[in-house]
């Protein structure tokens, strides 16, 4: 099973892809998911670790659990305004 | 003494066209307010940091659109309750925003001026902390750079 992680802005550009799939058994914490993504995008690992995870348009806390088969957004530090 | 409007007017949007204050001024019309305040964030040509002076030719903004609308709505609603506002407008532009044009517009109205004065910077600080919108600088030398402030929001 996998979790689809959508990428944006500098993360998408560094990975050269819109989304990546992270293999998980049946669930994973937000903090662990971020580490998995950092390993898959080594040229932007630092930026990945500064990023936040969102699901259903809401930020998740580091200890929240994401189920396999779901989809989330990796939100790098924002710069609107 | 200030009293929050029980049903404040909330309007948020993300647009891909120029933002004109006149297009939104009517949204704050309310016979019971004594203050209208507007802030427009505009794209800047020159950025001076400790190490360099960078000249930008244009900027490009990207959003996670549904979440941006959700966060802007959350911020506008919270601003109204925290600052006793009668109305809040927040409009952010995405796509290319040429130098000198508005990338964001915030409007607030309240019975008394102090609430509106206090709310405008509060809204901008919150927006810069949490709304999933990113800007890409295109510099005069042809290089580009996504802006991802890791030390917290910048000016």
């Amino acid at each position: 099973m996998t979790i689809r992680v959508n990428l944006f802005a500098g993360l998408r550009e560094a990975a050269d892809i819109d989304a990546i799939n992270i293999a998980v058994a049946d669930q994973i914490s937000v903090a662990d998911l971020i580490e998995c993504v950092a390993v898959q995008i080594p040229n932007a690992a630092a930026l990945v670790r500064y990023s936040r995870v969102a699901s259903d348009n809401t930020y998740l806390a580091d200890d929240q659990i994401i189920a396999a088969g779901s989809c989330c957004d990796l939100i790098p530090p924002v710069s609107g305004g | 003494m200030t009293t929050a409007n029980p049903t404040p007017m909330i309007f948020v949007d993300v647009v891909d066209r120029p933002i004109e204050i006149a297009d939104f001024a009517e949204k704050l019309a309310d016979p019971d307010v004594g203050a209208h305040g507007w802030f427009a964030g505009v794209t800047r040509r020159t950025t001076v940091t400790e190490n360099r002076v960078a000249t930008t030719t244009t900027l490009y903004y990207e959003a996670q659109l549904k979440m941006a609308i959700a966060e802007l709505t959350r911020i506008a609603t919270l601003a109204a309750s925290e600052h006793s506002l009668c109305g809040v407008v927040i409009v952010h532009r995405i796509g290319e925003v040429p130098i000198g044009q508005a990338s964001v517009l915030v409007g607030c109205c309240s019975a008394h001026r102090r609430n509106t004065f206090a709310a405008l910077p509060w809204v901008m600080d919150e927006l810069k902390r949490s709304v999933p919108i990113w800007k890409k600088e295109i510099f005069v030398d042809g290089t580009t750079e996504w802006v991802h402030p890791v030390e917290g929001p910048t000016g």
Side-chain angles (χ1 to χ4, degrees):
Chain A
M1 293 287 281
T2 62
I3 292 173
R4 178 187 166 93
V5 181
N6 296 319
L7 304 174
F8 301 91
L11 283 182
R12 185 193 59 243
E13 200 162 282
D16 198 22
I17 196 167
D18 290 342
I20 59 173
N21 291 311
I22 301 295
V24 297
D26 58 356
Q27 62 182 33
I28 190 170
S29 72
V30 166
D32 289 344
L33 179 69
I34 286 174
E35 277 310 303
C36 291
V37 176
V39 169
Q40 288 214 13
I41 316 175
N43 58 328
L47 185 58
V48 170
R49 293 188 176 104
Y50 277 114
S51 301
R52 288 180 282 177
V53 173
S55 176
D56 292 330
N57 303 317
T58 303
Y59 287 112
L60 302 180
D62 282 353
D63 60 354
Q64 282 187 263
I65 300 299
I66 302 172
S70 55
C71 179
C72 61
D73 297 326
L74 190 60
I75 306 292
V78 301
S79 53
Chain B
M1 176 67 188
T2 57
T3 305
N5 186 326
T7 55
M9 193 291 304
I10 302 294
F11 178 86
V12 305
D13 203 1
V14 175
V15 301
D16 60 359
R17 59 184 184 275
I19 299 172
E20 303 291 343
I21 293 179
D23 292 342
F24 302 97
E26 184 67 20
K27 295 189 181 300
L28 296 189
D30 181 335
D32 293 323
V33 304
H36 286 188
W38 293 94
F39 169 81
V42 300
T43 47
R44 185 180 56 239
R45 183 178 60 185
T46 305
T47 300
V48 180
T49 61
E50 217 169 272
N51 302 320
R52 66 170 182 167
V53 177
T55 304
T56 301
T57 57
T58 192
L59 291 100
Y60 177 87
Y61 287 80
E62 171 186 320
Q64 200 282 36
L65 190 56
K66 284 186 177 176
M67 186 172 172
I69 293 288
E71 280 295 301
L72 289 173
T73 302
R74 181 188 66 79
I75 290 167
T77 304
L78 193 56
S81 67
E82 292 284 312
H83 294 279
S84 301
L85 303 176
C86 300
V88 182
V89 171
I90 313 176
V91 181
H92 204 296
R93 184 174 172 184
I94 56 173
E96 185 180 359
V97 182
I99 296 298
Q101 295 191 13
S103 53
V104 64
L105 177 70
V106 180
C108 297
C109 65
S110 52
H112 305 284
R113 68 185 185 280
R114 292 185 196 285
N115 303 79
T116 285
F117 282 151
L120 287 170
W122 186 93
V123 168
M124 283 305 300
D125 287 348
E126 288 294 312
L127 184 154
K128 284 175 167 285
R129 248 193 294 274
S130 74
V131 179
I133 295 176
W134 304 272
K135 69 179 168 189
K136 185 179 193 176
E137 303 248 15
I138 294 100
F139 297 110
V140 70
D141 64 2
T143 60
T144 65
E145 182 179 300
W146 283 104
V147 179
H148 292 300
V150 295
E151 303 288 329
T154 57

